[in-house]
């Protein structure tokens, strides 16, 4: 029969093991990689609802937002590396403090405008090449059970039907390419004023252009606006896991073709 001292000692050792494990996990999450789950369709078809990825927190250095609840005792950024145009970035919303993921379009000093759904960057149109359609099933997606928006919604799309969006390949200055989707013709965000990105801030957009609250919308209207450098959390490099279902345990909804897929 175990003595009371041995029992108490075992409990203490268990508690210490748990504390050490939590500390190690916290340090890993703060300094190296943060898990991030995609809850919305704003980055389709680069990122789908239910994609699970790790955010590279070493990519841009560290700020107070590198820690959970913005608790890092840091002013500005440490070991800062400038993000590159076209990076897919997780950042802290400047007002409500939630984590967003979008594509970096405008660097400090850039001018950005949308005309008829095309980016005008520093006065020059960013080329888009038609690339067929993105097709998905019109059904609830993910734990939040979001319904996708469809370009063909004016037709006969019903539950379980084909929901389509026009797909194009966009080529940013420097040659980086990525897919963008279109839902509306001259939608509410397809034509904007000219935005001049302030020093020390960035302009982000979602790849699903007509279904993204991003820097095209001011913070007062629920958008993102310009994002300060200290709000950058890290770069999305690779999808580790993906599930189309409302639960990770529904293995028949796993998208094995997206496991370990690079984010481009």
């Amino acid at each position: 029969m175990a003595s009371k001292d041995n029992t108490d000692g075992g409990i203490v050792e268990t508690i210490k093991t748990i504390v050490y494990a939590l500390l190690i996990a916290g340090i890993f999450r703060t300094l190296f990689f943060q898990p991030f789950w995609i809850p919305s369709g704003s980055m389709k078809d680069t990122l789908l609802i239910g994609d699970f990825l790790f955010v590279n927190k070493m990519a841009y250095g560290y700020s107070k937002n590198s820690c959970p609840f913005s608790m890092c005792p840091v002013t500005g950024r440490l070991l800062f590396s400038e993000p590159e145009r076209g990076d897919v970035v997780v950042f802290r919303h400047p007002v409500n403090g939630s984590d967003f993921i979008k594509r970096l379009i405008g660097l400090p000093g850039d001018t950005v405008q949308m005309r008829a759904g095309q980016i005008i960057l520093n006065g020059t149109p960013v080329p888009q090449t038609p690339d067929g359609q993105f097709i998905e099933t019109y059904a609830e997606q993910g734990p939040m059970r979001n319904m996708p928006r469809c370009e063909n919604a004016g037709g006969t799309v019903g539950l379980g039907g084909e929901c389509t969006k026009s797909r194009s390949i966009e080529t940013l200055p420097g040659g980086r390419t990525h897919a963008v989707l279109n839902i509306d013709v001259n939608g509410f965000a397809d034509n904007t004023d000219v935005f001049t990105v302030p020093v020390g801030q960035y302009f982000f957009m979602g790849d699903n252009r007509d279904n993204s609250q991003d820097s095209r919308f001011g913070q007062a209207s629920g958008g993102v606006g310009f994002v300060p450098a200290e709000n950058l959390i890290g770069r999305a490099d690779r999808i580790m896991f993906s599930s189309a279902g409302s639960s990770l345990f529904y293995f028949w909804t796993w998208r094995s073709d997206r496991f370990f897929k690079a984010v481009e």
Side-chain angles (χ1 to χ4, degrees):
M1 182 175 177
S3 69
K4 185 177 183 299
D5 288 343
N6 288 339
T7 300
D8 290 346
I11 293 173
V12 170
E13 288 303 315
T14 299
I15 292 173
K16 287 169 64 177
T17 299
I18 293 173
V19 169
Y20 292 152
L22 290 174
L23 286 173
I24 292 170
I27 292 171
F28 183 86
R29 184 184 186 278
T30 298
L31 296 180
F32 303 109
F33 296 97
Q34 175 179 324
F36 192 85
W37 173 77
I38 305 300
S40 75
S42 68
M43 283 295 293
K44 292 178 180 177
D45 64 342
T46 303
L47 299 171
L48 304 181
I49 294 175
D51 283 348
F52 180 84
L53 48 86
F54 281 99
V55 178
N56 181 353
K57 302 186 79 170
M58 299 173 285
Y60 311 130
Y62 305 96
S63 73
K64 66 178 183 180
N65 294 299
S66 298
C67 291
F69 312 109
S70 301
M71 292 178 61
C72 282
V74 176
T75 300
R77 295 199 75 92
L78 297 177
L79 306 175
F80 181 56
S81 295
E82 188 79 28
E84 296 183 7
R85 194 192 317 277
D87 285 355
V88 176
V89 180
V90 172
F91 58 87
R92 189 73 38 87
H93 190 287
V95 175
N96 65 32
S98 56
D99 290 349
F100 276 54
I101 185 165
K102 306 288 181 186
R103 189 175 299 276
L104 176 56
I105 298 297
L107 300 172
D110 284 344
T111 61
V112 185
Q113 185 183 23
M114 291 289 286
R115 290 187 204 154
Q118 185 176 28
I119 296 173
I120 311 299
L121 186 61
N122 296 321
T124 302
V126 174
Q128 289 186 1
T129 304
D131 190 46
Q133 290 185 321
F134 172 71
I135 302 173
E136 59 185 338
T137 302
Y138 187 70
E140 295 176 341
Q141 298 181 343
M144 297 175 67
R145 302 186 181 281
N146 295 319
M147 299 297 289
R149 292 188 60 210
C150 314
E151 188 176 24
N152 58 333
T156 58
V157 180
L159 194 64
E162 284 191 349
C163 173
T164 65
K165 302 171 182 61
S166 295
R167 186 177 191 268
S168 299
I169 301 300
E170 188 169 77
T171 304
L172 294 171
R176 294 183 68 171
T177 63
H178 57 272
V180 295
L181 303 182
N182 183 72
I183 300 171
D184 302 318
V185 177
N186 286 325
F188 62 95
D190 284 342
N191 295 280
T192 71
D193 295 331
V194 177
F195 301 95
T196 301
V197 185
V199 173
Q201 302 194 47
Y202 300 91
F203 189 97
F204 290 92
M205 293 177 65
D207 291 347
N208 192 1
R209 290 288 160 78
D210 294 323
N211 193 36
S212 175
Q213 287 288 330
D214 49 40
S215 292
R216 292 171 291 176
F217 306 94
Q219 296 160 4
S221 61
V224 170
F226 300 119
V227 178
E230 70 174 4
N231 286 54
L232 306 183
I233 293 175
R235 184 181 65 221
D237 289 334
R238 190 169 297 274
I239 300 164
M240 304 304 294
F241 176 84
S242 184
S243 172
S246 58
S247 172
L248 295 179
F249 297 105
Y250 297 165
F251 63 87
W252 56 91
T253 66
W254 293 355
R255 307 182 185 107
S256 58
D257 60 318
R258 298 184 67 79
F259 290 8
F260 310 111
K261 181 179 180 181
V263 177
E264 298 177 350

